[in-house]
Amino acid sequence: MDLKNSSILITGGTSGIGLGLVKQLIKEGATVIVTGRKLDALNETKKQFPGVHVFQSDVSNPGDIEDLYQNVTTKFPDLNIIINNAGLMRLIDLQDPSLDLENINREVATNLTGTIQMVHRFLPHLITKKSAAIVNVSSGIAFMPYSAAPIYSATKAGVRAYTQALRLQLGNTSVRVFEMIPPGVNTNLQNDWIRKPNPGMMMSVDKMVKVAIDGLKKDKKELKPFLIKILRLASRIFPGMLLRFGHREFIAIEKMKKIKQ
């Protein structure tokens, strides 16, 4: 992909991997458009990177996506890349009766439905471009369900399956389909967690984004670091062991909750 001459829309671009993409894509010379739910975060991003263009929008809301589509394609008719990065990850006990149906569906609405809705609305525009791309952000957890974050795990597995099907259906078009597959990354996703992950086992945002940018330039359909290759292989050889290893975190989290009560 020619990033320098591209106009790129990034959902959830005010923090974490999204903000890292903003920083590096600006350096590449791209026109960068950022969306997010919180106006103050968008204003802070604009202050940090004056060259970006910001739009308040929630990917879980179809009305917001329709408004975003109309505004962005009118102001930036050359838009040719969308990066579906907006995400939500929560530690959830599925036996918690306080979670109502709307609450427990939040990650599905953002991570999976939001990605599908964004692609569906912007695809007719992208297909008109000589060179275009869709980048969907999944996760290494798509290969290894993480029992402490069961809804997140399901959504990222869904994003991966959807992205593979989308790539096949768009094979005869000008739209290339990429999947960014981060491992554990130090982002704000873990801000509210009662048990923080070990920082030494987490990849930095800058390193993950560099892998993604380099992969986009080389048209690699999967934008992933070497660690994901190892995880993918291990998930095939030792699936049960990986599941049990991850489940230790859920057990530890539940113990911490009981101590705090």
Side-chain angles (χ1 to χ4, degrees):
M1 291 299 299
D2 176 13
L3 300 178
K4 181 178 180 180
N5 296 305
S6 290
S7 295
I8 305 173
L9 171 64
I10 306 170
T11 67
T14 62
S15 63
I17 289 175
L19 190 60
L21 285 165
V22 170
K23 180 170 68 174
Q24 293 198 32
L25 287 170
I26 285 176
K27 290 180 180 178
E28 293 289 332
T31 297
V32 178
I33 305 151
V34 174
T35 78
R37 292 183 297 109
K38 299 178 180 178
L39 185 58
D40 57 346
L42 287 168
N43 290 336
E44 184 60 33
T45 301
K46 178 71 174 177
K47 181 179 179 181
Q48 187 177 354
F49 302 102
V52 305
H53 308 274
V54 299
F55 292 86
Q56 187 174 17
S57 184
D58 182 349
V59 298
S60 69
N61 186 324
D64 279 14
I65 291 178
E66 181 60 39
D67 290 343
L68 180 69
Y69 173 79
Q70 298 297 338
N71 289 328
V72 170
T73 55
T74 298
K75 295 179 181 178
F76 302 94
D78 293 332
L79 176 74
N80 65 316
I81 299 176
I82 64 170
I83 302 179
N84 290 305
N85 167 75
L88 175 65
M89 183 178 188
R90 298 182 297 165
L91 303 179
I92 289 178
D93 179 355
L94 295 174
Q95 299 183 68
D96 181 358
S98 68
L99 292 170
D100 59 31
L101 295 181
E102 182 177 355
N103 190 330
I104 204 166
N105 192 51
R106 283 171 57 198
E107 283 148 296
V108 177
T110 298
N111 303 352
L112 181 55
T113 307
T115 293
I116 294 170
Q117 291 178 157
M118 283 290 297
V119 171
H120 192 72
R121 190 63 191 94
F122 280 85
L123 184 56
H125 172 85
L126 295 175
I127 285 178
T128 67
K129 303 304 170 186
K130 184 177 180 180
S131 176
I134 295 167
V135 182
N136 293 334
V137 180
S138 65
S139 168
I141 287 177
F143 303 111
M144 183 197 76
Y146 181 44
S147 64
I151 311 301
Y152 180 86
S153 297
T155 63
K156 291 305 181 179
V159 168
R160 176 166 173 76
Y162 170 75
T163 302
Q164 291 177 322
L166 179 69
R167 183 181 297 121
L168 290 171
Q169 288 204 13
L170 299 185
N172 294 324
T173 74
S174 62
V175 183
R176 278 166 277 188
V177 178
F178 300 89
E179 180 185 3
M180 187 192 306
I181 316 174
V185 177
N186 279 312
T187 70
N188 63 326
L189 280 179
Q190 304 97 19
N191 283 352
D192 298 328
W193 289 14
I194 188 172
R195 179 182 171 89
K196 304 294 184 183
N198 182 348
M201 298 180 66
M202 307 287 278
M203 190 174 190
S204 74
V205 168
D206 286 344
K207 286 183 178 179
M208 180 60 232
V209 171
K210 186 178 187 306
V211 168
I213 298 295
D214 290 346
L216 281 172
K217 289 179 179 178
K218 297 174 183 177
D219 286 333
K220 291 184 177 181
K221 64 181 181 181
E222 293 187 349
L223 313 173
K224 59 183 185 291
F226 184 70
L227 179 59
I228 291 296
K229 297 177 183 178
I230 296 174
L231 180 61
R232 189 175 185 176
L233 178 62
S235 70
R236 294 173 177 172
I237 301 174
F238 310 111
M241 185 183 74
L242 282 179
L243 283 170
R244 290 190 295 272
F245 177 79
H247 188 57
R248 292 177 187 173
E249 287 293 302
F250 175 77
I251 294 171
I253 290 165
E254 292 304 299
K255 286 181 179 178
M256 290 181 68
K257 287 180 180 178
K258 290 179 180 178
I259 291 172
K260 289 196 172 187
Q261 286 177 350

